[in-house]
Amino acid sequence: MNFIKSSRLLLCNTPYSIRLPFARTYSSVPLAPAKKSFIPSKKVALVIGNDDYTIIPQLQSCVKDAKDVHSQLKSIGFEAELLTNANLRETKSALLRIADKRVPNDICLIYYSGHGIEYSGRGYLMGTSKGSYKDAMLIGMLLTTVCTQADNGKTVFISDSCRTPTRPAPPLREGEEGIITAVPPHVSQFHLEFATSPNDIAWDGESANHNSLFTSYLLPLLTRRDLDLNSLFTVVRKNMEDAGIEQRPWTHHCMTTSVCLAADIQKLE
């Protein structure tokens, strides 16, 4: 039996020893088929994978995670952009491009695989150029960038990264404090999915298919037409739990309708 060799734990020396099997089982969770759900007018996605860090430890599966997610999303009709080993400037530019592509009643999905940290309840994603907190991006800022362009759009953010606290705090840039509260609920409903629970790590290593743990369980479910978002991530959590994996995905959402990623785009008359 193989075991995980590394995690996406950033600059943290907290002792953490856990045996995590790679064997994957797919449980038949009794879930009702997705209700008549939201029919998107368009589906756009930005998929980010960062392995090539400099000062902080490099990762080994994030770029592959991103490429595999990108391929799955394109197969279900997403207009998807792939971004690998990107710094903060490149990430912001890509977010603006995706925001410009949004139309009313669409689905916009952002997937990130790489280093991540949390501080005082704020989550950050790490760019690669400086390999330091100066290249960190506040998740709330990311959401604001893509949400404010949408009229009744659905925004999905999936983060396969650690959520461990750090010292010192990453710098807050002007306008970032409390930024997520700046998005009116009627403008964009969103679903946030984290690969692990608060203050915990997300494991990166040599799974059977060379993906991270969380993404290896996510990939085969992305194309399922019988699963809305809540059901999809319930199955991910259940399958990881059944395999004896202690890493627990975590959900935050304010959706008021059922959203299925594999749903067909609305046909214009």
Side-chain angles (χ1 to χ4, degrees), residues 183-198:
V183 183
H186 67 277
V187 172
S188 178
Q189 299 174 41
F190 55 83
H191 181 112
L192 313 183
E193 191 70 30
F194 297 92
T196 192
S197 52

Side-chain angles (χ1 to χ4, degrees), residues 40 50 55 84 91 117 121 172 176 188 197 200 226 228 246 261:
N50 291 341
I55 299 174
T84 60
T91 303
I117 53 177
L172 267 181
E176 286 188 341
S188 178
S197 52
D200 213 340
D226 60 331
D228 65 8
E246 294 186 22
L261 296 179

Side-chain angles (χ1 to χ4, degrees), residues 141-250:
M141 178 63 77
L142 177 154
L143 290 171
T144 298
T145 301
V146 297
C147 284
T148 53
Q149 299 295 323
D151 181 6
N152 197 36
K154 316 303 179 189
T155 303
V156 182
F157 172 66
I158 304 172
S159 177
D160 192 350
S161 62
C162 290
R163 303 179 67 187
T164 45
T166 184
R167 295 286 191 278
L172 267 181
R173 299 173 183 87
E174 183 178 355
E176 286 188 341
E177 183 69 47
I179 195 71
I180 194 167
T181 62
V183 183
H186 67 277
V187 172
S188 178
Q189 299 174 41
F190 55 83
H191 181 112
L192 313 183
E193 191 70 30
F194 297 92
T196 192
S197 52
N199 302 316
D200 213 340
I201 59 178
W203 288 96
D204 170 72
E206 297 178 359
S207 62
N209 53 3
H210 305 291
N211 291 111
S212 75
L213 271 180
F214 170 77
T215 296
S216 70
Y217 283 89
L218 170 67
L219 282 168
L221 302 178
L222 285 174
T223 58
R224 290 272 297 270
R225 291 178 175 270
D226 60 331
L227 298 177
D228 65 8
L229 283 170
N230 284 333
S231 299
L232 187 157
F233 289 110
T234 296
V235 174
V236 170
R237 278 190 294 275
K238 184 67 166 61
N239 287 337
M240 291 177 70
E241 180 181 304
D242 288 348
I245 297 169
E246 294 186 22
Q247 177 181 322
R248 187 182 185 191
W250 205 261

